Amino acid sequence: MGKPLILVTNDDGITAPGLRMLVSIMKTIGEVVVVAPDSPQSGMGHAITLDSTLYSKKLTIDLDSEGIDEYSCSGTPADCVKLALQELLPKKPDICVSGINHGSNSSINVIYSGTMSAAIEAGIEGIPAIGFSLCDYTWEADFSQAKDFIFTIVTEALKNGIPKGTVLNVNIPKLKKNKLKGIKICRQAKANWKEKFDKRTNPMGKVYYWLTGEFELLDKGEDTDEWALANGYISVVPTHFDLTAHHVISELNTWNL
Amino acid sequence: MGKPLILVTNDDGITAPGLRMLVSIMKTIGEVVVVAPDSPQSGMGHAITLDSTLYSKKLTIDLDSEGIDEYSCSGTPADCVKLALQELLPKKPDICVSGINHGSNSSINVIYSGTMSAAIEAGIEGIPAIGFSLCDYTWEADFSQAKDFIFTIVTEALKNGIPKGTVLNVNIPKLKKNKLKGIKICRQAKANWKEKFDKRTNPMGKVYYWLTGEFELLDKGEDTDEWALANGYISVVPTHFDLTAHHVISELNTWNL
């Protein structure tokens, strides 16, 4: 088997340091094509562009990307994956990796995550896919400590195959390399955002809001991603896109419908 | 117990006929507050507005809404629910209903659905929630045939309570009332969109794309929402936001990580 074809995308945009780091790791594993948003798309969830047009541009971001095809796309992360698979890639990729996101996508954040929606979109299309996120929101975040772990996760995924209908959600704690304890397979912790809206008045006298909030962990389990991250481990949650709550079907059948 | 407080929202925008029909049904059940997007938000998935401001406006859409508080919101469906719960509602609602969507949100469409993301957002915040969708994309769709069924589902949900962590995804086939066979509790069918990008050149010579596609059902089960809809039933899928593929955890633990 030749070198695997790896599609790299993200939601922070094609110039984000997290994506550049992921590209540099993937170059050591296979042939890389980048298709990523031309502007930040955080919090886009699984949005797709239905009522407007998509633009895409072939470009070179840094000298380091020599020999790599890179495309920016005007759409959402899910759009990037759709466009990559249908129009831009020479063939079906062997794996799609998304990230490294600037900020956590653990627990309930997976629902809002553009990073994970790109990976899930690839999963829906039958491509093995992994989303990577670092628990550090800053643009200057240090992504280097997780290099070896990311290499290992991707090569193991290529070797073993990711079970069908499943996408991996990988989160990395903000720790120096010698503090990282290893990798744990986890479930998604129950959690919530306690929203607060910052209500302001614009210069024209009109009221507007900024969405802010505090993360609230509602789960004491030691098998969760939040527990792993708080205890120095990289969390890997197998995530699927069959949203059926199968255990509830029999209860609903007792309703008088 | 007094009249239940019902939050009504959608993703087609506050003026959509599907929402107006849902309001008219909910008025017969309880006290209604509407908080819905000021413009169509189809395909927004679970997007939220992080990097820009939100506006909201109290308004009256039609004479029929006398006695009902209605607010438009400049954000996504998930934003509408967050803003409603934190800023606009007088108290925690007893239920949140989203829709009636102009178009199906069955099977894999749940992932892209703004209608369902609003309901899921309410579910995350501990509010019983239901998304309703009619399998007819047109603005002129006939929503009247499902009136009694929607009334029944909402009153049963208020009576029995929706199991915690679960949100109902209700889809209604495009059929005359006397052809509707009833309601079936289902699982989400395995399905996919075979994308096709319509590639064009704009008047300035720049290439752009329109996303189009064909729905591809990959599931022969007779317990799915697609089977129910094709056979004249309203489908109800209990949907959850714990995306963990629990059955895959043990397999991943055999990897060499």
Side-chain angles (χ1 to χ4, degrees):
Chain A
M1 168 175 145
K3 276 178 137 193
L5 178 62
I6 304 174
L7 170 62
V8 180
T9 187
N10 77 343
D11 77 343
D12 291 314
I14 196 162
T15 63
L19 180 128
R20 307 323 305 173
M21 173 60 77
L22 194 53
V23 167
S24 77
I25 306 167
M26 291 308 110
K27 273 171 65 178
T28 67
I29 299 177
E31 187 191 334
V32 174
V33 178
V34 178
V35 183
D38 58 11
S39 63
Q41 298 276 331
S42 291
M44 280 309 279
H46 211 99
I48 51 173
T49 301
L50 293 176
D51 273 343
S52 74
T53 55
L54 285 177
Y55 285 89
S56 174
K57 197 158 81 180
K58 197 162 193 287
L59 75 185
T60 304
I61 298 294
D62 53 30
L63 293 176
D64 212 36
S65 48
E66 209 190 326
I68 294 178
D69 282 343
E70 300 211 37
Y71 302 86
S72 68
C73 168
S74 62
T76 67
D79 289 331
C80 288
V81 171
K82 285 180 186 285
L83 195 68
L85 298 180
Q86 296 306 316
E87 292 285 328
L88 304 175
L89 290 183
K91 57 176 181 143
K92 194 171 166 172
D94 296 288
I95 196 163
C96 169
V97 293
S98 178
I100 307 169
N101 191 56
H102 293 242
S104 162
N105 281 315
S106 59
S107 68
I108 196 66
N109 299 310
V110 68
I111 295 273
Y112 306 101
S113 166
T115 304
M116 279 304 294
S117 81
I120 288 173
E121 184 60 40
I124 292 171
E125 309 237 10
I127 317 284
I130 311 176
F132 291 99
S133 305
L134 177 69
C135 299
D136 184 345
Y137 282 87
T138 64
W139 197 252
E140 303 74 22
D142 177 11
F143 290 94
S144 65
Q145 80 279 32
K147 238 172 145 162
D148 297 346
F149 291 104
I150 291 173
F151 179 91
T152 302
I153 292 168
V154 173
T155 48
E156 280 293 305
L158 284 165
K159 197 177 83 191
N160 298 297
I162 297 175
K164 231 188 144 180
T166 312
V167 168
L168 303 186
N169 182 17
V170 178
N171 281 272
I172 302 155
K174 184 187 171 181
L175 287 173
K176 295 261 170 253
K177 192 178 171 182
N178 58 4
K179 300 280 184 200
L180 275 177
K181 287 194 200 143
I183 296 170
K184 269 214 188 303
I185 313 298
C186 307
R187 65 173 173 85
Q188 174 187 325
K190 287 180 186 62
N192 202 346
W193 283 90
K194 276 248 156 283
E195 275 87 23
K196 270 192 200 140
F197 283 92
D198 188 344
K199 193 173 175 176
R200 302 184 179 190
T201 306
N202 78 8
M204 284 67 73
K206 215 167 146 187
V207 167
Y208 67 96
Y209 300 90
W210 288 103
L211 172 58
T212 70
E214 261 171 43
F215 183 73
E216 190 180 32
L217 182 60
L218 306 167
D219 198 321
K220 295 213 165 114
E222 300 196 349
D223 54 348
T224 72
D225 49 3
E226 290 300 330
W227 187 93
L229 293 164
N231 287 275
Y233 294 94
I234 291 170
S235 66
V236 177
V237 177
T239 297
H240 58 176
F241 38 86
D242 174 2
L243 305 191
T244 313
H246 290 276
H247 61 290
V248 170
I249 287 179
S250 60
E251 183 174 339
L252 291 184
N253 273 318
T254 68
W255 287 19
N256 191 18
L257 295 175
Chain B
M1 166 177 147
K3 276 179 139 189
L5 179 61
I6 304 174
L7 170 62
V8 181
T9 188
N10 77 343
D11 77 343
D12 290 313
I14 196 161
T15 62
L19 180 126
R20 307 323 302 175
M21 173 60 77
L22 193 53
V23 167
S24 77
I25 306 169
M26 292 306 110
K27 273 172 66 180
T28 68
I29 299 177
E31 187 190 335
V32 174
V33 178
V34 178
V35 183
D38 60 10
S39 63
Q41 298 277 329
S42 291
M44 279 309 278
H46 211 98
I48 50 174
T49 301
L50 292 176
D51 274 343
S52 75
T53 56
L54 285 179
Y55 286 89
S56 174
K57 198 158 80 180
K58 196 163 192 288
L59 74 184
T60 305
I61 298 294
D62 53 31
L63 292 175
D64 211 37
S65 49
E66 209 190 327
I68 294 178
D69 283 344
E70 300 210 36
Y71 302 87
S72 67
C73 168
S74 61
T76 66
D79 290 332
C80 288
V81 171
K82 286 179 185 286
L83 195 69
L85 298 180
Q86 296 306 314
E87 292 285 328
L88 303 176
L89 290 183
K91 58 176 180 141
K92 193 171 165 170
D94 296 289
I95 197 163
C96 169
V97 292
S98 178
I100 306 168
N101 191 57
H102 293 242
S104 163
N105 281 314
S106 59
S107 67
I108 196 66
N109 300 309
V110 68
I111 295 272
Y112 306 100
S113 165
T115 304
M116 279 306 292
S117 81
I120 288 172
E121 184 60 40
I124 292 172
E125 309 238 9
I127 317 283
I130 311 176
F132 291 99
S133 307
L134 177 69
C135 300
D136 184 345
Y137 282 87
T138 64
W139 197 251
E140 303 75 23
D142 177 12
F143 292 94
S144 65
Q145 80 280 33
K147 237 171 148 165
D148 298 345
F149 291 105
I150 290 173
F151 179 91
T152 302
I153 292 169
V154 173
T155 48
E156 281 292 305
L158 284 165
K159 197 177 83 190
N160 298 297
I162 296 175
K164 234 188 142 181
T166 311
V167 168
L168 304 187
N169 182 18
V170 178
N171 282 272
I172 302 156
K174 184 187 172 182
L175 287 175
K176 294 262 169 253
K177 193 178 171 185
N178 58 5
K179 300 278 182 200
L180 275 175
K181 287 194 199 144
I183 296 170
K184 270 214 188 302
I185 314 298
C186 308
R187 64 174 174 84
Q188 174 187 324
K190 287 181 187 61
N192 203 347
W193 282 89
K194 276 249 156 283
E195 275 86 22
K196 270 193 201 140
F197 284 92
D198 187 344
K199 193 172 177 178
R200 301 184 180 192
T201 306
N202 78 8
M204 285 67 73
K206 216 167 145 186
V207 167
Y208 66 97
Y209 300 91
W210 288 103
L211 172 58
T212 69
E214 259 170 47
F215 183 74
E216 190 181 31
L217 182 60
L218 306 167
D219 198 322
K220 294 212 167 115
E222 301 196 350
D223 55 348
T224 71
D225 50 4
E226 290 300 331
W227 186 92
L229 292 164
N231 287 275
Y233 293 94
I234 292 171
S235 65
V236 177
V237 176
T239 296
H240 59 176
F241 37 87
D242 174 2
L243 306 191
T244 313
H246 290 276
H247 60 290
V248 169
I249 288 180
S250 59
E251 182 173 340
L252 292 184
N253 273 318
T254 67
W255 287 18
N256 191 20
L257 295 175

